[in-house]
Amino acid sequence: MTGKTIRFAEENDAAEILSIYEPYIKDTAVTFEYETPSLDEFSQRIRNISSQYPYIVCISDNKIIGYAYAHRHMERAAYQWNAELSVYIEKSCLRCGTGKILYQALIDILKLQNIRNVYGCVTSPNPNSEKLHEYFGFKKSGVYHNTGFKCGAWRDVIWFEKQINDHTLNPAPFLPIQYVDKKILEGILHNTCHIHP
């Protein structure tokens, strides 16, 4: 596998990204979705998320091998400083550092968007995801017991949380990604691959 690069996802990446996601739907309890979304629906998801938050892909050998995105954690106005993170890696590329690259880039970008807290929602057991969150200093904040039925069993969900900015009074409001300096964003994507090769 050659060196990795990161860039922002585009709508025409939808088919390639969906091919990574689909096995997690069909064969695992990692996601609680039952049915693979249509390509049009999945493209719309990318479009909607990308209008506000980072949605990024990791590329090696001219192929997308993983993707990650952030999205709003809860809807009420007072929650605007929170974001939930998701990451999915091509099965053949697991445990090669791709998740670390993507998570680091997401966190660095979210700091610029005035996000204070980031969250991860992990179906248990999922050792790879649990280790990823622990690597970045996330703490377990709670468990939803037997909260989803998938793959023939009731599943627990572990919530992880991490503070990434200070909780100052009068915080600047959430800054949608289109208002963040593009050169700074590109610098983050470029530099992250060198921090976590």
Side-chain angles (χ1 to χ4, degrees), residues 129-146:
S129 187
E130 291 178 46
K131 288 177 182 175
L132 176 67
H133 287 89
E134 289 164 0
Y135 173 86
F136 281 101
F138 282 72
K139 304 297 183 187
K140 290 181 182 178
S141 58
V143 179
Y144 292 175
H145 297 283
N146 296 315

Side-chain angles (χ1 to χ4, degrees), residues 76-93:
R76 301 294 187 214
Y79 291 117
Q80 68 182 276
W81 294 276
N82 304 330
E84 184 179 338
L85 312 185
S86 295
V87 59
Y88 291 92
I89 308 300
E90 169 68 41
K91 291 294 185 72
S92 64
C93 300

Side-chain angles (χ1 to χ4, degrees), residues 151-166:
C151 299
W154 286 100
R155 307 289 176 171
D156 292 351
V157 165
I158 304 170
W159 279 95
F160 289 86
E161 65 180 357
K162 177 181 173 67
Q163 177 183 330
I164 62 170
N165 270 322
D166 291 335

Side-chain angles (χ1 to χ4, degrees), residues 40-102:
D40 283 347
E41 180 186 347
F42 202 72
S43 297
Q44 183 66 43
R45 292 184 190 183
I46 294 173
R47 184 183 314 123
N48 289 345
I49 292 168
S50 297
S51 70
Q52 298 283 314
Y53 293 90
Y55 197 129
I56 56 179
V57 296
C58 183
I59 298 171
S60 181
D61 295 324
N62 297 311
K63 181 185 176 192
I64 295 174
I65 62 169
Y67 71 99
Y69 60 90
H71 61 93
R72 189 166 179 133
H73 176 56
M74 296 180 77
E75 290 303 314
R76 301 294 187 214
Y79 291 117
Q80 68 182 276
W81 294 276
N82 304 330
E84 184 179 338
L85 312 185
S86 295
V87 59
Y88 291 92
I89 308 300
E90 169 68 41
K91 291 294 185 72
S92 64
C93 300
L94 289 170
R95 292 179 293 279
C96 64
T98 305
K100 289 179 182 177
I101 291 171
L102 291 166

